[in-house]
Amino acid sequence: MGAEGWRDGDPGVFRLPSGRLVRGRGLSRPLPPGAPPQLGVYLLGEAPPETAWESRWVRWPDFRLPKDRDRLRTVLAEALSRAADERVELACAGGRGRTGTALACLAVLDGLPSRDALAYVRRHYHPGAVETPWQRWFIRRFG
């Protein structure tokens, strides 16, 4: 499964429990080579830069939690649905804390128990994903 143009092993590409692929990345780094996303979910304290693709913004200050948790859930549900046949990326400035937290929450929406989501993201996305105790708390209570 996965969107045309992205594969396991590509930089930042993360396989959800269902097999759907999404890409996590840090906006402070250049756009990876290859096909661009079709939907970008940007987890930032300030409005994200303009993109050539469709995007959603979740106001989420660095090292904190999202300002509107219901919006996060709605945007992640859309991202999960669209990842079935589109290229979807989730990104914050560095690509670890907020992005890792959102990827863990996406895995929960995809059916993974919330108690397993942190370990899953650290194993399959980045070992340093999810940076703060309150981000870990948020994931455990997301389900």
Side-chain angles (χ1 to χ4, degrees), residues 23-127:
R23 180 173 71 194
R25 75 176 179 107
L27 294 172
S28 61
R29 292 188 273 300
L31 187 66
Q38 293 165 293
L39 174 66
V41 175
Y42 301 109
L43 315 159
L44 300 166
E46 301 294 327
E50 291 293 318
T51 60
W53 49 85
E54 193 175 349
S55 68
R56 305 286 181 267
W57 172 37
V58 175
R59 186 180 297 271
W60 192 335
D62 203 6
F63 298 108
R64 305 264 192 264
L65 297 176
K67 292 292 186 180
D68 184 338
R69 295 169 190 193
D70 291 333
R71 173 150 174 79
L72 175 68
R73 184 177 289 276
T74 298
V75 168
L76 291 180
E78 177 188 5
L80 179 62
S81 174
R82 291 181 63 175
D85 57 10
E86 294 181 55
R87 294 180 306 275
V88 175
E89 79 170 2
L90 279 66
C92 64
R96 288 199 195 159
R98 293 168 284 181
T99 298
T101 302
L103 288 171
C105 291
L106 194 63
V108 170
L109 289 177
D110 197 41
L112 190 70
S114 59
R115 70 181 174 278
D116 300 330
L118 175 61
Y120 186 85
V121 168
R122 286 184 171 169
R123 185 170 51 254
H124 298 286
Y125 173 64
H126 192 286

Side-chain angles (χ1 to χ4, degrees), residues 121-140:
V121 168
R122 286 184 171 169
R123 185 170 51 254
H124 298 286
Y125 173 64
H126 192 286
V130 186
E131 297 173 317
T132 68
W134 39 93
Q135 289 170 344
R136 290 189 297 274
W137 174 90
F138 185 78
I139 294 164
R140 284 192 304 273

